[in-house]
Amino acid sequence: MSGMKSDVLVIGGGTAACAAAEAVLQAGKQVTMVFPNGGSSEVSAGSVDILGVVPGEEPRICGDYREGIRALLERYPDHVYGKCGGELDTGVQALVSLAEAGGYRLKGFDGKNVWIPNMLGTFSVNALVPEMLAGGALVPGEEKKVLVIGVKGNAAFNAEAAAMSYQQYQKKLGGKADYFSAEIRLTGWGDRRKVSDGELADYLDTREGAQELISAVRTFCGNGKYHFDTILFPPVLGYVKYQELLAEIKAACGCDAAEVQALGNSVVGYRFTRALYRALETRGAVLLRGAKAESISPAENGIDAVCTIGLTDQLHPGEKMTIHASSAVLATGGFVGGGIKARRTEVWIELLEEKLGGITTEVLDRNALSRSGQDFMRMGAEVKDDLSVKNETYNGRLFACGDVLAGHNSASERSGAGIAAASAYLAGKNAAANI
Ligand SMILES: Cc1cc2nc3c(=O)[nH]c(=O)nc-3n(C[C@H](O)[C@H](O)[C@H](O)COP(=O)(O)OP(=O)(O)OC[C@H]3O[C@@H](n4cnc5c(N)ncnc54)[C@H](O)[C@@H]3O)c2cc1C
């Protein structure tokens, strides 16, 4: 079995892992990341939610996420933000700068949450959004004409239904826009009747695709005869050249333009995670992609991880390697990312070999969309105040962050990337200080 060494090993490749690796680099230490894929970060909408809702019988929607965090901690004193909220600004800033260095620009709104139209035809509450979405943010009281574009064959987004729904839904939020819709026809995939988001994004990355889209939209607008203030598109404007295409659309149509928010369509999460990876590699992090930690164990002066590398390598598939690190960060995600496993009623954290008990009626609400959020989603790794795992086996050298942590429910709180950034920054900083 081959081997390698690193100051800090980060296990995972999602938002938390990237923020932890950045904190280690900022502390001047070497970092190696090992992961099979981008986990839930790779299918996320690529926004940074900090806190959108305080769940409860009467859920409270937060205009101001800092006030929201104070209310959340009153209701849930053991919440993860109680341990890592002090690193919220630093962690989010580190994540935002990293994404930007990789070419993915995020925009905040003076510390407030905003409402962003999504693919479902409703509005999502976010703290920071990719620049691609910013132009669609709802501004209460603003009267404007918004055109929602759909692409024939792309069944994931029904522009007509979405526009009708935005028109109604915005009223709850003080919106006064008029939404119109149009379905344009593109020809890049020949006679096929259906096209996926990924195929569309690939096509729009080509010069031919970009020009065909712009020309179809301009034709619909009567080449400038019918004016809209904003044009909304499905979140498929390319995997790579999306920012250039949006700028071109704005110039060609003489108005603002934006994508609507994705709901797990792969294109946006891919842009986000690949930008983070690019920036980390430029800064000197070692990324073992297509790899997996199979087990971790305490070792002299650190931690050993047995990993399988080359999971996607056809020549050397599944080779084993031991990585020795002075300390490690567990950023393996929750139920979606793969860090927390469930079979029948049993739930456990795989790499810690730690059982979290069962999913019983006490943690399961019959109402799947319970306003308080499903309690089983709060299951996860227990950590001390410095985010080292409580499990004493690892002598304080193993830290945990992000969705694998116990004590939060990012789905019902709309807090995913905020918690990932804050907890990972603290975990990475403490892991680096431990060397
Ligand atoms: C559809 C969807 C949309 C979302 N949209 C948003 C949004 O717009 N904004 C927001 O803030 N939050 C969003 N969230 C929530 C957010 O994605 C998560 O809270 C956040 O990504 C968690 O980051 P993480 O790094 O802890 O976990 P993950 O992103 O899940 O990453 C876990 C990582 O660990 C790796 N891993 C697992 N097991 C192993 C192992 N044994 N060895 C090595 N690596 C391993 C995985 O491959 C992955 O790289 C969304 C979630 C979903 C499901």
Side-chain angles (χ1 to χ4, degrees):
M1 194 180 333
S2 58
M4 69 180 277
K5 286 188 176 175
S6 183
D7 289 339
V8 177
L9 172 66
V10 174
I11 305 171
T15 311
C18 294
E22 170 65 4
V24 176
L25 290 173
Q26 285 185 10
K29 307 288 180 192
Q30 294 170 327
V31 65
T32 300
M33 284 168 65
V34 54
F35 55 97
N37 53 53
S40 69
S41 304
E42 190 160 311
V43 291
S44 85
S47 297
V48 177
D49 301 346
I50 293 178
L51 188 75
V53 180
V54 180
E57 281 310 307
E58 294 294 327
R60 187 172 137 193
I61 291 172
C62 314
D64 181 317
Y65 50 78
R66 286 177 215 285
E67 279 176 27
I69 290 176
R70 281 193 284 277
L72 182 78
L73 291 176
E74 276 169 28
R75 190 168 292 176
Y76 301 100
D78 295 332
H79 192 277
V80 171
Y81 271 139
K83 292 194 170 70
C84 64
E87 293 288 1
L88 181 62
D89 289 339
T90 337
V92 169
Q93 190 45 48
L95 185 68
V96 169
S97 319
L98 195 62
E100 192 162 331
Y104 182 94
R105 296 191 294 268
L106 285 150
K107 181 173 164 39
F109 298 85
D110 299 324
K112 300 282 186 285
N113 281 327
V114 284
W115 292 98
I116 299 288
N118 61 36
M119 286 179 88
L120 271 184
T122 63
F123 290 79
S124 302
V125 61
N126 301 114
L128 291 100
V129 299
E131 242 181 39
M132 297 296 289
L133 303 188
L138 182 139
V139 179
E142 189 181 35
E143 292 179 15
K144 60 177 184 173
K145 282 164 76 177
V146 182
L147 175 64
V148 184
I149 295 280
V151 178
K152 193 160 182 59
N154 179 223
F157 184 61
N158 181 331
E160 188 184 358
M164 282 181 351
S165 177
Y166 298 146
Q167 187 71 42
Q168 289 306 315
Y169 199 104
Q170 63 162 343
K171 292 178 191 159
K172 294 189 205 171
L173 308 169
K176 289 200 166 166
D178 280 317
Y179 290 89
F180 303 84
S181 68
E183 187 176 62
I184 58 168
R185 190 185 288 268
L186 300 178
T187 58
W189 45 95
D191 292 339
R192 274 178 49 202
R193 294 176 58 194
K194 294 281 180 264
V195 61
S196 71
D197 286 357
E199 290 167 314
L200 203 41
D202 256 344
Y203 179 55
L204 294 178
D205 266 336
T206 66
R207 203 56 234 141
E208 181 198 350
Q211 275 169 352
E212 194 181 7
L213 176 80
I214 292 171
S215 148
V217 176
R218 276 187 51 80
T219 305
F220 179 83
C221 296
N223 287 313
K225 207 159 131 200
Y226 309 112
H227 181 76
F228 294 93
D229 299 292
T230 307
I231 305 181
L232 296 180
F233 293 87
V236 297
L237 294 181
Y239 280 107
V240 183
K241 298 184 185 155
Y242 49 96
Q243 283 163 164
E244 290 92 317
L245 177 53
L246 193 71
E248 258 190 86
I249 293 170
K250 288 183 190 178
C253 299
C255 66
D256 205 352
E259 289 180 337
V260 302
Q261 189 163 74
L263 294 164
N265 81 344
S266 89
V267 178
V268 184
Y270 180 93
R271 292 174 188 162
F272 180 45
T273 49
R274 292 329 184 262
L276 297 174
Y277 300 162
R278 259 195 304 279
L280 283 168
E281 283 183 318
T282 309
R283 292 176 186 190
V286 175
L287 270 60
L288 298 177
R289 305 163 193 233
K292 189 171 187 277
E294 303 291 353
S295 64
I296 45 177
S297 53
E300 200 177 333
N301 298 325
I303 292 208
D304 279 346
V306 175
C307 303
T308 305
I309 55 166
L311 290 172
T312 50
D313 180 344
Q314 294 187 349
L315 291 179
H316 311 286
E319 226 171 73
K320 293 273 188 280
M321 176 196 266
T322 300
I323 304 177
H324 176 83
S326 301
S327 51
V329 178
L330 190 68
T332 46
F335 290 99
V336 181
I340 302 179
K341 300 275 186 199
R343 189 173 302 134
R344 296 179 195 268
T345 59
E346 282 300 308
V347 182
W348 70 97
I349 301 171
E350 197 173 43
L351 284 173
L352 297 183
E353 289 175 8
E354 196 171 301
K355 289 197 174 169
L356 296 177
I359 297 190
T360 60
T361 46
E362 274 161 27
V363 290
L364 196 61
D365 197 309
R366 273 172 190 274
N367 174 6
L369 301 176
S370 157
R371 298 169 136 228
S372 310
Q374 293 287 355
D375 271 345
F376 76 85
M377 292 291 285
R378 297 177 204 283
M379 290 173 147
E382 296 287 345
V383 287
K384 299 181 190 167
D385 284 348
D386 65 351
L387 297 195
S388 63
V389 299
K390 280 193 178 160
N391 186 330
E392 296 294 343
T393 326
Y394 300 99
N395 303 324
R397 288 177 181 271
L398 180 64
F399 298 80
C401 56
D403 268 3
V404 76
L405 289 175
H408 67 105
N409 179 348
S410 55
S412 56
E413 295 163 5
R414 309 291 305 179
S415 61
I419 285 178
S423 62
Y425 195 83
L426 182 59
K429 189 168 98 175
N430 290 341
N434 214 15
I435 293 160

